[in-house]
Amino acid sequence: MRQTFPALSKGQVPMLLWLLLLILAPGREQSELAPKAFIRLTPPWSTNFKGKTVTLTCEDSHSPAQGGISWYYDDILLKKKSGKLQIRNSGYYKCKTPGSSLSDPVHVEFLSDWLILQASLPVFEGDDVYLRCQGWKEEDITKKIYYKDGEKFAVTYDSGFIRLNSASTNNSKYHCTTYVEGLFGMWKESSKALRIQVQELFPPPVLTASPSQPIEGSPVTLKCETWLPPQKSDTQLQFCFFSGDQALGSDWRSSSELQIPAIWSEDSRSYWCQAKTVTHSVMKRSLKSQIHVHRVPVSDVNLEIQPPGGKLIEGDNLVLTCSVARGTGTITFSWHREGTIRILGRKTQRSLSAEFQIPTVKESDAGRYYCAADNIHGPILSTLITVTVRIPVSRPVLTIRAPRAQAVVGDVVELRCEAWRGSPPILYQFYHEDATLGSSSAPSGRAASFDLSLTADHSGNYSCEADNGLGAQHSDRVTLNVTVPVSRPVLTLNPAGTQPVVGDVLELRCEAQRGSPPILYWFYHDNVTLGKSLAPFGGGASFNLSLMAQPSGNYSCGADNGLGIQCSEVVMLNFTVPSRSKITPVTVGVILGLLSILGLAATAALVCKFRTQKKSGGISATGTARSFGTETQESTHFEPPALMELQPVYSNVNPGDRDLVYTLVGSIQHTKEHLVNPGDRDLVYTLVGSIQHTKEHLANSPRLHWKHKGPTVIYSEVKKTHPDDSAGQASCRGWAHEDATESYENVPSTSLALYH
């Protein structure tokens, strides 16, 4: 039964075309988005004998389709809305479901030929195709020959079919021939040429980007979109993405998506993708899609400093971090210090922050810093941040400034502590040994002073300490010796409480209770210097005085350690004259010696004179000085001079020694006198007479002229000043100081009596 369709009038054609445009346009628009519907044939052959019926079934991904089906016959919409359509007319058939796009056309042909060539439907790209050469009377056929584009490629001897591998849309023509036996012999039959209808396995993929206009630095997802027909849903596809001619990712992949973590402005270009089957039988590529990446200018540039606050110690590391709140792409960061043209550092990177480090900062690194950021739209500057570099104090130097070369008790000395390097303020501490004397602050740095009034306890080691909060530094120790002026000395006589007589040894002891050593002690008798003694370690000193003359008078001493002499109080000494019996043994010894030499007559004359002569003259004294640890003995030893003629005269004895000398002239034999060294400027009594076998050691003395004129005794007194006395000596003797000019005074002569 032949199916017929109602004819259309000429006026209905334009209206129908307009409706078709409205209907087909959405389908075409969705062809890239929705999968295509497809048509299944029963029986599955594209060519059939005329009079046969073929059933078409419209399917989509929700197979079988449910209502709302649209059928098209040679692009003409049919009224049929069901999912199946039975056809008997040759032509192109298409369908569409609500959830799909328009299917590919299927050409079904009904022929009245004796021999036809049938091809299986549907056939997708890469599928195998089955061909069957079918006769009107199959029993009359024994041999079938198959041709492709006029070339024989297969022969069969039954009613079966042949298979073609991996069909493709190459528009090749196929036909078949056979020989038929009849009553009148054999004849040849040929089929109509056939083009195999190969449906698209999947459409060319479409590349999409999400977001379609990404912001620089943001992630982008690329999708290679295509679809497989439901009956081919088990076909495995692979995908590959390209940027320009460069493959992205790991070449072929099973996923149709590619994630780009961050896309940059330089990535703005065309992208495309490819899809293929695992067997590589079908491969298709998308059109190129242009992706434009938008760049965001930098803003809110900020500079941070480590350590926080920008307060560093010399030698620390300074870290400058420059950051932006917004900004995309490659950003160039640079660091600057105010007042300098030179850029401290520059970094270009794809990040919102960058660090710059200044290792081991110095004092010259202090200042105000800022940074700049630029991503082609122009540099944006940060605010200024102040960086201070504090310097630990160096080891201070302590100096002591005194008003004189030798510090003395009562002086005010300045202790000056100075650190050559160090950030202010600096606190200085002053120490005597381990005790704190005080402190002084130097707000502007450098040095500080501390005034100290010296006492006797202030001798010792001094040091100072400088600290500006970054660690204290100590100076070297400086030694200060405080000289203590001597106190007023005390003179004592030993032995004390006894009455001294001629021949005794009297110790004069002088001691100052206070005073820095060494101390020089002077001993005086009525303004005359007896001697001196040095106490190198302090304490007192002694002077031993041998009493050989009248010692009565005022005694005193002076102490001096270079800071001025101090004089003791005067000590009075009363001398007791010894009885005649005390000198009898000496006199007797002298007389006996004389008598043995001179003879009886001379002896009688001398005895007569001595008896008539009064006792006159004095006893001279010699002394030795002694101090603690030091002894100074000053004496002159005389031996009897040779016998010579005596003549009483005035004589100046040893004037070069500037001593006071009394000279006794007489006739004496065999005597020795111990005279104090004239260089000590002491008071000396000298007995001179007619002496035999004596020696006298008188340094620098002029020659004496002697003429014997009897036992007359003559005294002469020589007075001289003492120019080698120090000012201190003069101060102690000033209360009875005499003129420095030489003077001679006559001393009345008396008779000298000697007793046997």
Side-chain angles (χ1 to χ4, degrees):
M1 181 176 179
R2 182 182 178 89
Q3 185 176 359
T4 60
F5 297 94
L8 296 177
S9 64
K10 292 183 179 180
Q12 290 177 321
V13 173
M15 182 64 69
L16 181 60
L17 291 176
W18 180 78
L19 291 174
L20 286 175
L21 291 174
L22 292 178
I23 296 172
L24 293 177
R28 289 170 182 169
E29 182 181 358
Q30 295 176 9
S31 61
E32 296 179 356
L33 302 176
K36 292 180 180 181
F38 65 93
I39 298 174
R40 188 186 300 274
L41 285 73
T42 306
W45 303 110
S46 60
T47 304
N48 297 274
F49 287 107
K50 198 168 185 178
K52 298 292 184 178
T53 301
V54 176
T55 302
L56 304 180
T57 304
C58 187
E59 297 181 359
D60 59 12
S61 58
H62 302 285
S63 179
Q66 302 293 331
I69 306 300
S70 298
W71 289 99
Y72 299 89
Y73 171 64
D74 291 338
D75 295 333
I76 297 174
L77 179 62
L78 303 178
K79 294 181 178 180
K80 184 71 174 179
K81 299 296 184 184
S82 64
K84 291 184 179 183
L85 178 66
Q86 291 182 344
I87 62 171
R88 292 180 180 180
N89 294 327
S90 298
Y92 289 91
Y93 294 87
K94 293 186 292 184
C95 73
K96 180 182 177 301
T97 66
S100 68
S101 60
L102 196 63
S103 70
D104 291 331
V106 174
H107 182 260
V108 181
E109 193 171 11
F110 295 90
L111 299 176
S112 57
D113 297 339
W114 195 93
L115 185 67
I116 60 174
L117 179 62
Q118 295 178 315
S120 59
L121 284 178
V123 177
F124 293 95
E125 296 169 307
D127 286 353
D128 293 339
V129 180
Y130 295 94
L131 297 179
R132 187 175 68 171
C133 191
Q134 189 73 25
W136 179 258
K137 291 183 178 181
E138 189 64 24
E139 65 275 10
D140 294 336
I141 299 174
T142 57
K143 182 182 178 180
K144 299 174 182 177
I145 303 172
Y146 293 86
Y147 296 87
K148 177 182 178 181
D149 294 332
E151 297 290 334
K152 182 175 70 174
F153 69 92
V155 177
T156 62
Y157 296 93
D158 55 20
S159 58
F161 51 82
I162 64 172
R163 186 172 66 179
L164 300 178
N165 297 324
S166 300
S168 61
T169 56
N170 54 11
N171 292 324
S172 295
K173 291 181 179 181
Y174 296 87
H175 74 278
C176 67
T177 62
T178 186
Y179 289 92
V180 181
E181 292 183 1
L183 296 177
F184 304 100
M186 298 185 64
W187 70 92
K188 182 181 178 181
E189 289 287 344
S190 296
S191 69
K192 184 180 179 180
L194 171 70
R195 283 188 172 90
I196 299 175
Q197 300 180 50
V198 180
Q199 295 188 42
E200 199 175 46
L201 179 62
F202 57 89
V206 176
L207 180 68
T208 60
S210 179
S212 60
Q213 293 184 341
I215 295 175
E216 192 175 29
S218 63
V220 173
T221 301
L222 300 180
K223 292 183 179 180
C224 193
E225 295 182 310
T226 188
W227 60 272
L228 290 168
Q231 63 270 36
K232 290 293 184 178
S233 59
D234 57 347
T235 302
Q236 293 183 359
L237 297 180
Q238 290 183 328
F239 303 89
C240 187
F241 297 85
F242 297 88
S243 173
D245 296 330
Q246 184 71 33
L248 303 177
S250 57
D251 204 5
W252 293 98
R253 61 179 64 212
S254 59
S255 174
S256 62
E257 293 187 1
L258 174 66
Q259 181 79 25
I260 300 177
I263 193 166
W264 309 103
S265 60
E266 54 267 30
D267 296 328
S268 296
R269 59 173 66 94
S270 60
Y271 292 79
W272 55 280
C273 68
Q274 278 185 332
K276 70 173 183 176
T277 59
V278 176
T279 60
H280 304 281
S281 58
V282 181
M283 180 184 296
K284 297 181 181 181
R285 62 174 290 176
S286 70
L287 297 175
K288 291 184 177 181
S289 177
Q290 187 71 26
I291 298 178
H292 180 71
V293 182
H294 295 275
R295 170 165 288 184
V296 177
V298 295
S299 61
D300 298 333
V301 181
N302 183 50
L303 178 64
E304 295 180 354
I305 291 181
Q306 292 293 334
K311 295 181 179 180
L312 292 91
I313 301 174
E314 187 179 42
D316 287 349
N317 293 334
L318 174 61
V319 179
L320 305 174
T321 302
C322 191
S323 61
V324 296
R326 298 185 64 219
T328 60
T330 301
I331 302 176
T332 299
F333 297 92
S334 59
W335 291 265
H336 311 263
R337 188 173 69 217
E338 188 181 36
T340 60
I341 301 175
R342 182 177 62 90
I343 297 176
L344 300 178
R346 180 187 281 113
K347 286 185 179 180
T348 300
Q349 57 191 46
R350 289 174 179 169
S351 65
L352 297 179
S353 65
E355 287 186 356
F356 176 74
Q357 183 173 355
I358 302 177
T360 315
V361 296
K362 304 179 290 296
E363 185 177 12
S364 58
D365 292 323
R368 299 207 297 174
Y369 289 78
Y370 65 94
C371 71
D374 182 14
N375 63 348
I376 304 177
H377 295 280
I380 305 298
L381 305 183
S382 70
T383 57
L384 291 167
I385 292 184
T386 301
V387 173
T388 59
V389 179
R390 301 195 64 201
I391 304 173
V393 292
S394 60
R395 191 172 188 181
V397 176
L398 176 66
T399 56
I400 300 178
R401 298 179 180 177
R404 64 190 83 193
Q406 180 64 47
V408 180
V409 170
D411 287 350
V412 177
V413 297
E414 177 189 11
L415 305 181
R416 180 178 175 84
C417 191
E418 183 172 9
W420 292 102
R421 297 184 74 249
S423 299
I426 301 175
L427 179 64
Y428 290 94
Q429 296 274 356
F430 297 87
Y431 300 93
H432 175 218
E433 302 298 348
D434 295 329
T436 302
L437 295 176
S439 61
S440 180
S441 179
S444 59
R446 294 308 294 269
S449 298
F450 180 81
D451 292 336
L452 178 65
S453 181
L454 297 179
T455 66
D457 297 331
H458 282 149
S459 292
N461 295 320
Y462 287 80
S463 63
C464 68
E465 176 186 275
D467 188 6
N468 62 351
L470 304 178
Q473 293 289 333
H474 296 268
S475 71
D476 291 331
R477 291 177 177 267
V478 177
T479 301
L480 175 66
N481 294 318
V482 180
T483 302
V484 180
V486 293
S487 61
R488 189 173 188 182
V490 177
L491 177 66
T492 57
L493 304 179
N494 290 319
T498 60
Q499 193 69 24
V501 296
V502 173
D504 287 349
V505 176
L506 183 64
E507 179 187 11
L508 305 180
R509 177 175 176 79
C510 189
E511 183 173 5
Q513 297 298 322
R514 292 184 299 105
S516 299
I519 303 175
L520 182 63
Y521 290 95
W522 299 86
F523 297 88
Y524 307 100
H525 174 222
D526 290 336
N527 298 330
V528 179
T529 301
L530 297 177
K532 59 186 176 182
S533 180
L534 180 67
F537 305 107
S542 297
F543 181 81
N544 292 330
L545 181 64
S546 296
L547 301 181
M548 301 184 66
Q550 174 63 268
S552 297
N554 297 322
Y555 288 83
S556 63
C557 68
D560 187 9
N561 63 350
L563 302 178
I565 192 168
Q566 293 289 333
C567 298
S568 69
E569 295 181 354
V570 175
V571 177
M572 301 292 297
L573 177 63
N574 294 321
F575 177 69
T576 302
V577 179
S579 62
R580 188 178 300 271
S581 61
K582 289 184 180 180
I583 62 172
T584 299
V586 177
T587 306
V588 172
V590 173
I591 295 173
L592 290 177
L594 294 174
L595 289 177
S596 64
I597 299 172
L598 296 177
L600 294 176
T603 304
L606 290 174
V607 171
C608 184
K609 284 189 177 184
F610 274 98
R611 286 182 178 177
T612 59
Q613 196 173 28
K614 293 182 181 179
K615 183 180 181 292
S616 64
I619 303 173
S620 63
T622 62
T624 61
R626 184 164 51 109
S627 64
F628 296 159
T630 303
E631 288 192 3
T632 304
Q633 294 186 355
E634 302 175 354
S635 64
T636 303
H637 181 69
F638 290 87
E639 293 185 3
L643 183 61
M644 60 191 307
E645 185 179 3
L646 300 177
Q647 182 178 356
V649 294
Y650 274 101
S651 298
N652 188 4
V653 181
N654 198 8
D657 292 335
R658 299 173 294 181
D659 291 324
L660 181 60
V661 180
Y662 289 93
T663 304
L664 174 62
V665 181
S667 178
I668 303 175
Q669 297 179 355
H670 305 289
T671 61
K672 294 182 180 180
E673 299 291 336
H674 296 279
L675 301 180
V676 177
N677 189 342
D680 287 337
R681 300 170 294 181
D682 293 325
L683 181 62
V684 180
Y685 293 91
T686 304
L687 177 61
V688 181
S690 178
I691 303 173
Q692 298 178 0
H693 310 291
T694 62
K695 295 180 180 179
E696 295 181 5
H697 300 281
L698 298 174
N700 301 321
S701 297
R703 182 181 298 276
L704 299 179
H705 302 279
W706 302 88
K707 291 185 179 180
H708 181 64
K709 292 186 179 181
T712 304
V713 179
I714 301 173
Y715 289 90
S716 65
E717 181 181 14
V718 181
K719 293 185 179 180
K720 301 280 288 194
T721 59
H722 303 267
D724 61 338
D725 285 352
S726 65
Q729 299 167 16
S731 66
C732 278
R733 300 181 302 168
W735 42 270
H737 190 270
E738 295 187 6
D739 227 348
T741 59
E742 296 184 359
S743 61
Y744 296 89
E745 295 182 3
N746 293 331
V747 180
S749 62
T750 58
S751 301
L752 177 62
L754 297 178
Y755 296 91
H756 293 281

